[in-house]
Amino acid sequence: MSITTLALIILIPVLVWRIYSRLKSQMTRQRSIMSRHYTGLLVFGALVLVPAASLLDRPYGLVALAGGAVMGVLLGRYGLRRTRFEDTDEGYYFTPDRRLGVLVGMVLVARIIYLGIEIYMNQGSNLPNPRITDSPVTMYCLGLTGAYFAAYSFGLMRWRQQKRRAIGTM
């Protein structure tokens, strides 16, 4: 076993722990800022749509991406129901469901780490390195995560627009 392999065996759990703790710290009470919701919708929507454009000739990957996106939207709606919304004098706040958000985020992180390990193991062999769009499992994870956070951002935007309309009718 080489020193590089040993370093990876030690560093991967540290990397997973850091990403997990970062995601966990982001799933706390937050101020609702419309520009962040728009950005989340655009970025995570693009996370689903860009690979979909390159998968038009690979139906299994496209179906997996679409299936993950459907499941992500359903989980996003469920996550919004479990979110605590606050309308205070200081502004609008929301507290997302920590477990669900971290779980969905870590699904994609785990799959990307798996791809990194696969690329590392292919070094020195004649096997081609896998692309992110090659595996239907990866596409499912990408669709799930992208659609979850896009649907969640969309739901937050709708909540704020409803608050704005309620203020206008008073």
Side-chain angles (χ1 to χ4, degrees):
M1 191 176 300
S2 70
I3 191 77
T4 308
T5 305
L6 286 174
L8 283 175
I9 290 171
I10 293 169
L11 289 177
I12 286 176
V14 172
L15 175 67
V16 169
W17 173 75
R18 283 299 305 145
I19 293 171
Y20 169 78
S21 62
R22 177 74 177 154
L23 280 172
K24 189 176 167 185
S25 71
Q26 294 298 314
M27 298 294 162
T28 58
R29 182 176 185 249
Q30 301 174 40
R31 179 173 223 152
S32 176
I33 301 171
M34 284 299 283
S35 62
R36 284 187 186 175
H37 305 323
Y38 282 114
T39 302
L41 180 63
L42 291 173
V43 168
F44 289 111
L47 190 68
V48 175
L49 294 176
V50 169
S54 68
L55 289 172
L56 295 176
D57 59 338
R58 288 179 252 154
Y60 292 125
L62 190 60
V63 167
L65 182 69
V70 167
M71 188 60 153
V73 168
L74 293 173
L75 282 175
R77 290 183 56 155
Y78 176 72
L80 281 167
R81 284 195 303 263
R82 295 186 48 94
T83 299
R84 190 171 45 126
F85 297 100
E86 299 175 46
D87 181 3
T88 64
D89 294 336
E90 293 87 31
Y92 299 106
Y93 291 89
F94 66 97
T95 306
D97 181 26
R98 178 181 282 182
R99 290 182 184 145
L100 186 59
V102 169
L103 176 70
V104 170
M106 288 305 289
V107 164
L108 183 61
V109 168
R111 189 60 190 177
I112 290 173
I113 289 174
Y114 174 82
L115 282 175
I117 291 170
E118 192 174 354
I119 290 170
Y120 175 74
M121 297 302 282
N122 284 345
Q123 284 182 341
S125 69
N126 290 332
L127 297 173
N129 284 331
R131 294 180 299 174
I132 198 163
T133 57
D134 285 347
S135 170
V137 175
T138 305
M139 290 296 92
Y140 183 85
C141 296
L142 191 67
L144 176 79
T145 304
Y148 171 80
F149 288 111
Y152 197 85
S153 294
F154 180 74
L156 292 173
M157 287 171 35
R158 285 192 49 207
W159 169 65
R160 285 291 304 275
Q161 289 170 351
Q162 288 172 354
K163 289 293 182 180
R164 189 178 302 153
R165 274 190 236 118
I167 291 172
T169 59
M170 290 184 168

